[in-house]
Amino acid sequence: MSEEKHHHLFHHEKDGPGDYKEEEKHHKHLEHLGELGATAAGAYALHEKHKAHKDPEHGHKHKIEEEVAAAVAVGAGGFTFHEHHEKKEAKKEDEEAHGKKHHHLFG
C-alpha cells in the first residue's frame, strides 16, 4: 500500500522533525491575514452603516450589507483566534522537540 498525503485547505502535512518553526511561521502568517480580513470587513460594515444613514432611500440594502460585513468580520475574527491557537501549539511542539521544559507554578 502506498502512503498518501492528505492536503487540506490550509494545512499541508510535512515529514520529519524540525518542521515546527515553519509551521509556526505559517500559522502566524494566516493569523495576520485573518486580522486583516476582520479589520477590512469591520471597516466596510461601518461604511455601510454610514451609507444607510446618508441614503435612506436605499437604507434597507445598506443595512443588509452592513450585517453581512459584520458577520464576515466575526468569522475572520474566529479564524484569527483559531490560527493563534495553532501557532501556539506549533511553538509548544517545537519546544518539546528540543527538550525545553515548561515550568508551571500551579500544576
Side-chain angles (χ1 to χ4, degrees):
M1 240 178 165
S2 67
E3 289 204 21
E4 297 180 23
K5 285 192 173 192
H6 296 278
H7 293 282
H8 301 280
L9 184 61
F10 294 113
H11 305 283
H12 297 282
E13 298 296 322
K14 296 183 179 187
D15 296 326
D19 293 329
Y20 301 115
K21 283 288 183 192
E22 190 64 34
E23 185 179 348
E24 183 181 352
K25 183 178 174 184
H26 175 72
H27 290 298
K28 183 176 184 180
H29 177 72
L30 290 177
E31 180 183 357
H32 284 224
L33 286 176
E35 289 171 351
L36 181 62
T39 302
Y44 187 73
L46 288 174
H47 169 74
E48 286 299 322
K49 184 174 186 171
H50 176 73
K51 285 270 214 173
H53 290 305
K54 288 294 213 177
D55 184 15
E57 186 177 328
H58 300 106
H60 183 68
K61 174 186 166 235
H62 293 298
K63 184 69 177 167
I64 290 172
E65 290 181 1
E66 173 195 349
E67 291 175 3
V68 169
V72 170
V74 169
F79 177 75
T80 301
F81 182 77
H82 167 76
E83 288 303 323
H84 179 74
H85 175 74
E86 292 292 320
K87 180 181 73 172
K88 286 174 57 174
E89 273 299 310
K91 184 175 183 175
K92 181 180 174 186
E93 289 175 12
D94 181 51
E95 289 175 353
E96 288 174 358
H98 291 92
K100 294 183 181 175
K101 294 184 179 181
H102 295 277
H103 297 284
H104 298 284
L105 293 175
F106 302 106

